Amino acid sequence: MYKRNNQGWLKHLDFILWDVFSLQIAFILAYTIRHGGMPYGNEVYRTLAIMLVVVDILIADIFNTMHGVMKRGYYQEAIQTLKQAALVLAVVSLYMFSVQSGDIYSRITIFLTAVFHFILGYGVRMAWKPIVRRIAKKSRKAAMILVADEKQVSEVLAMVSDTDDVEYSGIVLSNRDGTGGAIDGVPVVASLETAADYICREWVDEVFVYPAQLTDIEVRGSGRDVLDGGLLVDDAPEEATVAGLIEACRQMAVPVHIRLPISNISDRSFIERVAGYDVLTSAANYASPRQLALKRAMDIVGGLVGSLIALVVIAVVGPVIKRESPGPILFKQTRIGKNGRKFQIYKIRSMYLDAEERKAELMKNNRVSDGMMFKLDWDPRIIGNKIVDGKQVTGIGEKIRSGSWDEWPQFFNVLRGQMSLVGTRPPTVDEWEKYKYHHRARLSTKPGLTGMWQVSGRSRITDFEEVVKLDTEYINHWSIGLDIRILIKTVKTVFTKDGAM
């Protein structure tokens, strides 16, 4: 049975367990310095010890703090370890504040635990990495057969010398019979005709196939379907082909690694089954069902709270809007959602009813020069804005927009599943029609009330390419932890009025 590398957060379970161990040692040291003895004999601190374990694991999972741990250098690892220790301290402190139990714990013990957690956690991580590399290097020394065209063999063997994570025990040439020869010191052990028999009767752990073209490896279903002249032929006669050898290995339960003859494959690619076929799926990023369920749960809770507040805001602001500009209180506009879906976005109306008709004549004053978004320093379409004695005067509509009061009804969209709390801002139809290919990346996730570029100073950014860059960064590095950080920054931005949301 082939041992597959761990996937997801379990891939670095060893580092997570070592961090939990470091945190417990840190907790013991802190308690001993402050109180003497062991904390596990005290019921109150024993409960805290258990909570530290749970919190540490959850933070590692939610904030993905162990992602790329083997690739990080000294400085990067120090930053990530500090982040882990600080988040654990923050969550534990928030818990104590919430349940009003802070007075029964020593603050010195808590803060010393965080300091020791950083020191020990960093030391353990840096010490464990070379051990992991040595273990991985030894565990990969399996008897592997290389199947490739003769002109590709040297390239493949050179890659091995660079990475040093596999070792080939033999070669099978796919273009001719080279049995008895050798290439770069590795023997050619069989031809395509005799390779299956060789694998069956010799010590072979794995087979690595480097096909010359995609049609060399196409095999469908569990039967021996092979390509013949570009067509799939069921129950084809046994042939000396790469596809036939792959099928023979399947029958012998020998693990086969197939190098895809496609360049520039995303590192976020994976194999899955779609429409009855095994396919390679490549995406900018992907989320597990658990992550999506957690994100939707956050949206529902936030949507319910936000919708209740929206009703209060509408009740307070609505009569003022009616008095200044007769017409509906709510404004509906068609926006473009995930992957091009159209939906109606809700806002409290802060502009006069003819705002859309007047947009064209104001385009010359647009602060975004490429026309991909529409922003004005002073917009005469906003309710109450007018010119008095040659001076620009702002009205109630500007106050509504500056405080982001007009955005609250969008929580209705969040509840309906058309939007999320965090995402990319949905473009208008006319903006969407101007999109180039790389702009389309913004639509690969559900639109949100707030996002990366909003908390980066929305009112100051006038370059649409900068907006796309920030939104793409959000999509490529998305996690539940990133959403939480953006929500916290959003609250700060709204209260400090550092750019309208």
Side-chain angles (χ1 to χ4, degrees):
M1 182 176 293
Y2 177 67
K3 180 183 177 181
R4 186 184 181 188
N5 292 330
N6 286 327
Q7 305 296 310
W9 72 285
L10 287 176
K11 181 178 181 179
H12 299 303
L13 180 61
D14 51 342
F15 282 93
I16 295 176
L17 293 178
W18 275 119
D19 198 74
V20 170
F21 175 75
S22 300
L23 178 55
Q24 287 298 304
I25 297 299
F27 181 52
I28 292 172
L29 289 174
Y31 185 88
T32 301
I33 291 173
R34 179 65 179 86
H35 304 283
M38 292 288 286
Y40 305 113
N42 185 316
E43 182 178 354
V44 172
Y45 282 91
R46 185 165 60 245
T47 302
L48 178 59
I50 296 173
M51 186 175 69
L52 287 172
V53 172
V54 175
V55 170
D56 198 36
I57 294 175
L58 286 177
I59 286 175
D61 180 26
I62 295 174
F63 289 86
N64 205 15
T65 56
M66 297 300 173
H67 177 70
V69 63
M70 292 299 297
K71 301 177 182 178
R72 295 198 291 251
Y74 292 100
Y75 175 74
Q76 290 177 317
E77 196 59 66
I79 295 298
Q80 289 299 320
T81 307
L82 180 61
K83 174 183 174 181
Q84 180 84 18
L87 286 172
V88 171
L89 175 62
V91 172
V92 170
S93 300
L94 181 62
Y95 168 78
M96 292 178 179
F97 174 78
S98 301
V99 300
Q100 297 181 345
S101 61
D103 56 335
I104 65 175
Y105 294 104
S106 166
R107 292 183 179 86
I108 295 178
T109 301
I110 302 301
F111 283 103
L112 279 179
T113 298
V115 172
F116 290 144
H117 181 201
F118 167 69
I119 296 172
L120 294 174
Y122 179 72
V124 168
R125 292 187 194 192
M126 298 311 297
W128 183 241
K129 287 182 185 183
I131 297 175
V132 171
R133 292 189 182 100
R134 286 197 296 270
I135 294 174
K137 185 176 180 179
K138 291 180 180 179
S139 65
R140 290 296 298 172
K141 295 300 182 181
M144 182 181 288
I145 297 296
L146 169 63
V147 181
D149 188 282
E150 185 175 12
K151 63 178 178 291
Q152 298 165 328
V153 170
S154 294
E155 175 189 341
V156 179
L157 295 179
M159 288 293 293
V160 172
S161 63
D162 289 339
T163 58
D164 198 31
D165 60 350
V166 297
E167 187 173 72
Y168 293 111
S169 59
I171 299 172
V172 174
L173 298 179
S174 58
N175 61 315
R176 70 177 183 88
D177 183 2
T179 306
I183 301 178
D184 295 340
V186 181
V188 180
V189 296
S191 63
L192 275 181
E193 289 82 0
T194 60
D197 188 60
Y198 176 88
I199 293 170
C200 181
R201 309 190 188 286
E202 298 292 338
W203 173 25
V204 176
D205 293 316
E206 303 167 26
V207 175
F208 183 88
V209 178
Y210 192 107
Q213 54 187 345
L214 189 61
T215 54
D216 290 347
I217 61 173
E218 188 164 346
V219 181
R220 186 181 68 187
S222 58
R224 290 177 48 256
D225 304 340
V226 298
L227 277 171
D228 182 15
L231 299 176
L232 281 168
V233 180
D234 294 335
D235 298 323
E238 191 170 333
E239 299 177 11
T241 63
V242 175
L245 178 58
I246 293 174
E247 173 58 22
C249 290
R250 187 196 67 80
Q251 294 180 17
M252 292 184 283
V254 175
V256 179
H257 308 281
I258 304 172
R259 186 264 181 185
L260 295 174
I262 306 172
S263 60
N264 298 323
I265 297 175
S266 168
D267 58 357
R268 292 182 175 90
S269 301
F270 49 92
I271 302 294
E272 61 178 344
R273 196 166 183 81
V274 176
Y277 290 92
D278 293 322
V279 299
L280 175 73
T281 299
S282 180
N285 203 348
Y286 58 86
S288 67
R290 178 181 58 82
Q291 289 175 312
L292 291 177
L294 183 55
K295 184 176 176 67
R296 182 55 185 155
M298 289 171 56
D299 287 344
I300 292 174
V301 173
L304 286 171
V305 175
S307 295
L308 291 175
I309 297 176
L311 293 175
V312 175
V313 173
I314 292 171
V316 173
V317 177
V320 181
I321 294 175
K322 279 280 190 180
R323 185 179 65 248
E324 294 286 333
S325 174
I329 297 173
L330 291 183
F331 167 71
K332 292 194 300 182
Q333 185 183 45
T334 300
R335 293 291 184 100
I336 307 301
K338 183 178 180 181
N339 294 328
R341 294 178 177 88
K342 295 182 179 180
F343 70 100
Q344 296 293 314
I345 196 172
Y346 300 104
K347 285 189 173 186
I348 291 177
R349 186 168 63 88
S350 60
M351 291 188 174
Y352 293 109
L353 294 177
D354 61 349
E356 287 298 308
E357 289 75 11
R358 298 173 61 187
K359 182 177 179 180
E361 65 184 68
L362 296 170
M363 266 302 208
K364 61 180 180 295
N365 300 323
N366 188 8
R367 286 197 292 133
V368 184
S369 58
D370 57 12
M372 299 302 295
M373 295 188 302
F374 186 69
K375 284 179 174 290
L376 298 175
D377 290 321
W378 186 82
D379 196 337
R381 303 173 303 160
I382 295 177
I383 297 173
N385 280 10
K386 53 189 175 183
I387 304 292
V388 178
D389 296 331
K391 296 182 179 180
Q392 297 174 346
V393 177
T394 58
I396 182 63
E398 197 69 63
K399 294 178 181 179
I400 292 173
R401 293 167 68 88
S402 64
S404 298
W405 300 107
D406 58 324
E407 307 281 357
W408 283 100
Q410 291 173 46
F411 281 99
F412 302 151
N413 294 112
V414 173
L415 269 184
R416 297 181 64 181
Q418 298 166 325
M419 295 179 64
S420 179
L421 293 178
V422 184
T424 60
R425 288 299 291 166
T428 59
V429 175
D430 60 321
E431 292 170 349
W432 176 54
E433 290 173 347
K434 301 173 186 175
Y435 271 19
K436 297 178 181 179
Y437 292 158
H438 67 286
H439 299 153
R440 170 61 167 74
R442 300 184 69 238
L443 304 180
S444 63
T445 189
K446 190 179 292 186
L449 292 176
T450 185
M452 186 78 82
W453 73 273
Q454 287 93 331
V455 297
S456 300
R458 166 180 153 179
S459 61
R460 293 190 298 269
I461 297 177
T462 58
D463 184 355
F464 182 65
E465 294 299 332
E466 182 66 20
V467 173
V468 174
K469 179 181 177 182
L470 289 169
D471 282 341
T472 303
E473 180 183 346
Y474 167 75
I475 293 169
N476 290 340
H477 299 92
W478 177 83
S479 68
I480 294 296
L482 179 58
D483 275 5
I484 294 174
R485 291 197 295 273
I486 289 175
L487 287 173
I488 293 173
K489 287 183 178 180
T490 299
V491 174
K492 177 183 175 182
T493 301
V494 171
F495 278 104
T496 58
K497 297 186 179 180
D498 184 20
M501 296 309 298

